[in-house]
Amino acid sequence: MIVADKKPIDEIIEYVKDKDRILVLGCNECVTVCEAGGKKEVGILASALRMYFMNQGQEHRVDERTLERQCDHEYLEEIRDIVDQYDAIVSLACGVGVQFTAEKYQSTPIYPGVNTCFLGVTEERGLWTERCQACGTCILAETAGICPISRCAKRLMNGPCGGSTQGKCELNPELPCAWQLIIDRLQALNRLDDYEKLMPIKDWSTDRAGGPRKVVREDVQS
Amino acid sequence: MEHVQSILQSIGLEPERVGMYNLSSGEGPKFAQYAREMDSIIRGLGPNPLKKAQVKKVQREEAT
C-alpha cells in the first residue's frame, strides 16, 4: 500500500486559516490502513480545526467527508455537487489523491493533509516499512523475493557492499542488509548457486528517471 | 496520549488539560488521588477557553 504520515496540524492550519468554508476529505484506502487519512483521522482533524477557530473567536465551517478512493473518477464525482460550497479542501489522501482531486476541481484550492512516504507494509501496528520503489521492471524473481532497489541504501544489483556488517547496513545498525537477507533466503530455498550469477545492468528507463510514467492497457480500455 | 496533547497544543490549548491514568477497579484511593491531581491541574489552568468562546457564539446568535 501507499504509506503516508500525518502532517503537523500547525502546517494545515497555516494553509486554511483564512478560508471560511473548509472540507476535510478522507480516503478509505491505503491512508486508512496506515491510520493517516481515513474517516477517523478526518474526524480528528476536522474537530481540531473547529476547536482552533473557536479558540480564535472565529466562525468557520469545517465539514467532513471520506470517499472510497480519491484516485478514481467515479468516487471523486461524489463531491461534484458540494465542492462549490467550500473555499478549500484538505485532502487526507496520498499525493495521488490530492493531485487527482485538484485536477478534477480546478477552481477550489486543495491542500495536502498528509505526507506521502513510500510503498510499504504494516510490520505491526504503528510500524510501516518500505518494500517497493515502483521501478517498473521487477527483479524479485532473481532476488528471492527481497528487493534490493527499495531495501538496499545503494540500490545495488550485485551486493552486498563492504558496509554490510553482521547482516546490518552501515547506515544504521538496526537496518537489515538487503543483500544479506537475499543470500539467507536463497540459501533457505536451496538456490545459492543463483547468487553466483551476475545481475545484468538494470533497465532504469521504466523508473522515475524517465519522467512521469503511464501504463496503457488496450485490452481493458473501452 | 502524547498525540492528543500535541493536537491540543497545536490549536492553542494547554496539553495538560487531558491525561490518562491506568488503574484497576480495585484501586479506589488511587483513583481519588488521580482525580484530585487532575482537578488541581485544571483549576490552575482555569476554565476551558473553548467553553467561553461557545458561550459568546450563542450570545451573538441570540442577539441577531
Side-chain angles (χ1 to χ4, degrees):
Chain A
M1 69 176 155
I2 296 172
V3 177
D5 200 4
K6 293 176 180 178
K7 265 193 184 296
I9 287 182
D10 314 48
E11 190 179 330
I12 298 171
I13 288 172
E14 201 56 37
Y15 296 147
V16 299
K17 64 183 180 189
D18 299 324
K19 311 290 185 187
D20 290 332
R21 300 162 304 169
I22 301 158
L23 176 65
V24 180
L25 190 64
C27 179
N28 245 342
E29 295 285 347
C30 313
V31 290
T32 295
V33 180
C34 62
E35 303 189 39
K39 196 173 180 181
K40 188 181 81 179
E41 290 74 28
V42 165
I44 292 169
L45 177 61
S47 297
L49 289 174
R50 285 184 205 112
M51 288 164 75
Y52 167 79
F53 289 128
M54 192 179 277
N55 201 23
Q56 300 293 313
Q58 301 170 359
E59 281 189 43
H60 294 240
R61 175 177 157 194
V62 182
D63 290 343
E64 306 170 22
R65 183 77 181 257
T66 300
L67 301 179
E68 195 55 36
R69 283 197 287 279
Q70 290 186 32
C71 52
D72 270 318
H73 286 295
E74 60 183 295
Y75 299 111
L76 271 179
E77 278 300 323
E78 291 174 13
I79 58 166
R80 181 163 297 283
D81 293 342
I82 60 164
V83 78
D84 288 340
Q85 298 172 20
Y86 300 100
D87 303 312
I89 296 176
V90 178
S91 167
L92 295 195
C94 67
V96 177
V98 175
Q99 290 185 67
F100 212 37
T101 307
E103 282 172 37
K104 211 164 179 63
Y105 301 112
Q106 301 223 344
S107 58
T108 307
I110 315 289
Y111 298 98
V114 301
N115 290 321
T116 306
C117 301
F118 49 76
L119 303 179
V121 296
T122 310
E123 285 202 24
E124 58 187 68
R125 190 164 182 209
L127 174 63
W128 294 274
T129 54
E130 187 165 18
R131 288 291 186 280
C132 179
Q133 290 202 343
C135 69
T137 310
C138 191
I139 55 163
L140 286 169
E142 284 80 40
T143 57
I146 293 157
C147 176
I149 309 302
S150 58
R151 301 187 67 184
C152 167
K154 293 177 176 169
R155 310 212 291 185
L156 288 183
M157 295 293 288
N158 294 282
C161 71
S164 176
T165 308
Q166 294 182 325
K168 304 294 181 189
C169 176
E170 64 185 334
L171 277 189
N172 178 346
E174 289 179 11
L175 190 67
C177 165
W179 271 99
Q180 186 64 55
L181 295 176
I182 292 169
I183 292 165
D184 291 347
R185 186 150 162 79
L186 284 171
Q187 193 165 25
L189 295 170
N190 205 21
R191 282 179 53 196
L192 208 47
D193 287 348
D194 289 348
Y195 178 59
E196 298 292 323
K197 297 175 192 164
L198 273 182
M199 294 265 268
I201 294 170
K202 184 170 164 55
D203 174 9
W204 288 105
S205 68
T206 56
D207 188 64
R208 179 63 187 79
R213 298 164 284 176
K214 63 179 169 184
V215 173
V216 181
R217 286 272 311 276
E218 288 179 0
D219 59 322
V220 293
Q221 286 177 336
S222 52
Chain B
M1 189 45 54
E2 282 174 15
H3 177 59
V4 175
Q5 289 182 326
S6 77
I7 292 175
L8 288 187
Q9 189 143 34
S10 297
I11 61 176
L13 295 180
E14 300 87 350
E16 300 81 22
R17 286 188 182 277
V18 63
M20 191 169 84
Y21 302 89
N22 288 314
L23 71 169
S24 78
S25 57
E27 294 175 285
K30 205 174 229 179
F31 173 79
Q33 179 202 328
Y34 288 151
R36 275 194 295 272
E37 273 176 28
M38 201 65 197
D39 179 67
S40 153
I41 291 168
I42 296 298
R43 283 181 194 281
L45 293 171
N48 179 352
L50 289 184
K51 286 191 178 165
K52 283 188 204 165
Q54 218 158 12
V55 170
K56 278 185 191 166
K57 188 184 171 195
V58 172
Q59 285 170 343
R60 272 200 307 273
E61 283 169 359
E62 283 173 355
T64 53

